[in-house]
Amino acid sequence: MGSWKRWATAGMVVAALAGVAGGPPAALAGAGDLDPAFSGDGRVSLPGAGPFVPRALAIQPDGRIVAAGSSCQPAAASGDATCLTDGDASFRLARLTPDGGVDPEFGDNGLVTTPIGSGRSQALDVLVEPSGAIVAGGAARDAQGQDVLALARYDARGALDPTFGIGGIVLQPVGTGFAAIADIAAGPGGTILVTGQAGQRMLVARFTATGALDAGFGTGGTVVAGPAYGYGLGLAPAPDGSVVAAGIAGDTPDPAGYRFGELRLTAAGLPDGTFGIGGFAEQHAGTSASYANAAAATPDGGWVAAGAGTVPDGRQAFTIVRGGPGDAPIPAWTAQAASGAGAVATDVAALPDGRVVAAGQVTPNAGGLAFGVARLTPGGALDPTFGGGFTTIGWERFPFARSTAVAVQPNGDVVTAGIGCDGGGTGMRCTGGTAILLLARQLPDPPAPVATPAPTPTPTPAADVTKPRATVRGVPPQVTRSTLARRGLPVAVRASEKVRLELWLSGTRRGGKRVVLAHVRLRTPRRTVAFRVHPGRRALRRVRPGRLRVQVRLTDRAGNAITLRKHTTLR
């Protein structure tokens, strides 16, 4: 089917927990550490979902996580478990709860698989619309055997939306040759912007809310522009309706000649003559070939693109190029970071304060592949407050694991998704094995201290009668008896002020009587704490399978108390 999306070809887990009553106090984790409230240790793997080649992430306003990509049945000749150029593939989406559990309200136990077109199809990006609808885009083959733009829109529960395209699906040829979508963004007035490739050149298109090409954009809804060879891999829409598409600029398909390339279009889809040369700009970022894999809009109306470049010692490195708003075609800065034998950024997100998060793959000196996540300051330096600026996330079971997408949750948590090679698969494409979905979540910055003005003396100061606000997270939806006995139950609490904590874990005996399995009391007031609750083994043996209740009572220094409950299921 051709090259649907270009990917690089270069060759701390938090021990987040304190004990139970009588144990030492829990150590608070820092920004960039894995979040113990996310499935217990900050990491999720879903081999039970079957073959899954994740390419994109989106976060819903309620914090639920949508991952999009494709299923893959490898061709026998290549054994390529990512089905990049062969094998049988279909659109595949998964949705997880904010705590990292599979969302049973979406599709078939959190998973939706949709064959698109007449042959294999792959989703390469995903967008959550304000209405809650989910749009996935990528490439598929139409009834005539042509590779075309493919879009599918689903409702909030994972069913195809019949008001979009034909039965929820759009297959749109551009010209008579190869065409594919690599990135999606929300356009003005409910439209959908996409970028990718048509023929061998960079493509930007705009679709209406019903899935038709928008005649008010470009030529009949599409723009094909840029150098002799180009590929749009990321979009950065601006508030004025203009958009920057970033990706590959080249003279031929030979990767040795790749450069970062950016095409800026007006709201009407016309090349912006104030940007670069005729609306197109490009940069050599590094000592040799370089290219963008993704782009994002920045809060100042500018853009940021992330991908790969070569540092002076010959290694590939995360490479991030940033451009200003308005008519500024020259990047404000170019930053690079390498790890081990090499690193490649595959996705990027811009934060509200001007910082940038990029995720991708690293090649540790010991071999294999691992997730890499970098955070940069607004000036382009590695941010030392986020795990030193560059963090590596390894997976003991999956020595070949690479991140393909990054997103930021409403509270600032950084979520990365990627490919894990199961079944003995190795290399970039999990050759000989099975690709599965992996996710990780890293903690954000702690809340900034709020400056409190000096109190005005009063004869009778008002008593503190406000109850603290808090959330309980990290409790998995299900737990086995052996896991509970061996590892305990993870619990993470965040409160609006310093509180004392008391926790009860209870279940039901076979005779129907409720019994307390564990009682934890942390006397030192804290705002954030993560720990594991270890039930008494004798009581645990007598508890029947079913619902376990976690009851947490939090008391502030003034004596105001709040009680919260979470539940899990003992299998």
Side-chain angles (χ1 to χ4, degrees):
M1 182 174 283
S3 183
W4 284 0
K5 187 165 185 179
R6 297 290 180 180
W7 301 95
T9 55
M12 200 157 8
V13 177
V14 180
L17 310 166
V20 293
L28 299 182
D33 289 343
L34 288 170
D35 184 356
F38 190 67
S39 193
D41 68 353
R43 297 175 296 181
V44 170
S45 60
L46 293 179
F52 199 134
V53 185
R55 297 297 193 188
L57 275 178
I59 306 296
Q60 297 187 174
D62 62 4
R64 285 189 277 192
I65 302 163
V66 179
S70 59
S71 61
C72 176
Q73 296 297 327
S78 69
D80 176 5
T82 66
C83 290
L84 184 65
T85 58
D86 57 20
D88 185 21
S90 298
F91 275 35
R92 178 161 285 184
L93 280 71
R95 192 167 75 188
L96 290 87
T97 63
D99 290 340
V102 174
D103 186 354
E105 298 179 6
F106 185 76
D108 182 6
N109 196 28
L111 194 70
V112 170
T113 303
T114 311
I116 306 287
S118 62
R120 70 195 204 98
S121 55
Q122 292 180 323
L124 299 174
D125 199 26
V126 66
L127 169 70
V128 175
E129 296 185 307
S131 66
I134 298 168
V135 181
R141 187 162 288 162
D142 66 11
Q144 289 71 45
Q146 182 178 348
D147 298 321
V148 299
L149 312 184
L151 290 168
R153 185 160 72 189
Y154 305 84
D155 65 21
R157 301 185 69 87
L160 284 169
D161 178 0
T163 68
F164 186 78
I166 300 175
I169 294 172
V170 170
L171 294 174
Q172 180 62 57
V174 180
T176 59
F178 169 83
I181 292 171
D183 197 40
I184 312 173
T191 59
I192 301 167
L193 286 163
V194 305
T195 189
Q197 190 176 42
Q200 291 195 333
R201 300 183 71 197
M202 184 179 289
L203 164 76
V204 181
R206 194 166 76 190
F207 291 84
T208 68
T210 60
L213 283 173
D214 184 350
F217 183 83
T219 303
T222 66
V223 178
V224 179
Y229 182 83
Y231 212 125
L233 294 169
L235 284 169
D240 63 1
S242 64
V243 61
V244 171
I248 294 169
D251 303 314
T252 70
D254 182 3
Y258 286 174
R259 307 173 292 277
F260 271 67
E262 301 91 30
L263 171 65
R264 178 169 176 168
L265 302 172
T266 68
L270 302 176
D272 185 346
T274 68
F275 184 88
I277 300 175
F280 193 84
E282 60 180 59
Q283 304 86 33
H284 255 308
T287 60
S288 58
S290 58
Y291 53 93
N293 275 323
T298 55
D300 62 359
W303 52 272
V304 62
T310 308
V311 291
D313 65 8
R315 292 181 298 164
Q316 278 198 311
F318 272 43
T319 302
I320 298 95
V321 173
R322 183 169 185 164
D327 60 356
I330 306 301
W333 47 253
T334 300
Q336 290 189 298
S339 174
V344 177
T346 53
D347 202 7
V348 66
L351 304 181
D353 61 4
R355 289 182 293 184
V356 171
V357 176
Q361 66 190 52
V362 297
T363 309
N365 289 326
L369 295 168
F371 282 26
V373 183
R375 191 169 79 181
L376 290 85
T377 67
L382 288 173
D383 183 354
T385 67
F386 187 81
F390 197 106
T391 59
T392 299
I393 303 172
W395 304 75
E396 183 177 349
R397 178 180 167 185
F398 309 106
F400 290 88
R402 56 192 182 97
S403 176
T404 55
V406 66
V408 180
Q409 288 187 300
N411 69 341
D413 284 332
V414 176
V415 181
T416 49
I419 299 168
C421 297
D422 205 4
T426 59
M428 288 282 296
R429 302 185 184 180
C430 298
T431 304
T434 302
I436 66 167
L437 172 62
L438 303 181
L439 297 105
R441 188 166 77 192
Q442 293 168 278
L443 290 168
D445 296 313
V450 178
T452 304
T456 302
T458 59
T460 54
D464 178 4
V465 295
T466 304
K467 292 184 178 182
R469 300 183 308 276
T471 58
V472 178
R473 306 168 66 188
V475 178
Q478 294 183 354
V479 64
T480 63
R481 197 181 300 269
S482 61
T483 298
L484 196 58
R486 185 176 68 257
R487 299 184 59 193
L489 184 73
V491 178
V493 178
R494 293 184 181 179
S496 58
E497 57 184 296
K498 289 186 176 181
V499 293
R500 292 184 176 88
L501 178 147
E502 193 166 6
L503 178 147
W504 295 265
L505 173 65
S506 60
T508 305
R509 288 183 178 174
R510 302 190 186 280
K513 182 179 179 181
R514 181 164 290 278
V515 60
V516 175
L517 301 177
H519 179 208
V520 180
R521 180 182 289 122
L522 299 179
R523 299 182 182 277
T524 302
R526 296 178 180 275
R527 292 183 62 177
T528 305
V529 64
F531 56 95
R532 287 186 184 271
V533 180
H534 292 274
R537 291 180 178 270
R538 177 181 296 179
L540 182 60
R541 285 196 296 268
R542 296 161 60 186
V543 171
R544 68 185 183 190
R547 175 181 272 195
L548 300 181
R549 184 174 71 189
V550 179
Q551 180 170 308
V552 181
R553 182 175 176 83
L554 305 172
T555 308
D556 67 12
R557 292 178 176 177
N560 303 305
I562 183 174
T563 299
L564 304 173
R565 293 181 178 88
K566 294 279 284 189
H567 295 90
T568 184
T569 300
L570 177 66
R571 294 188 298 171

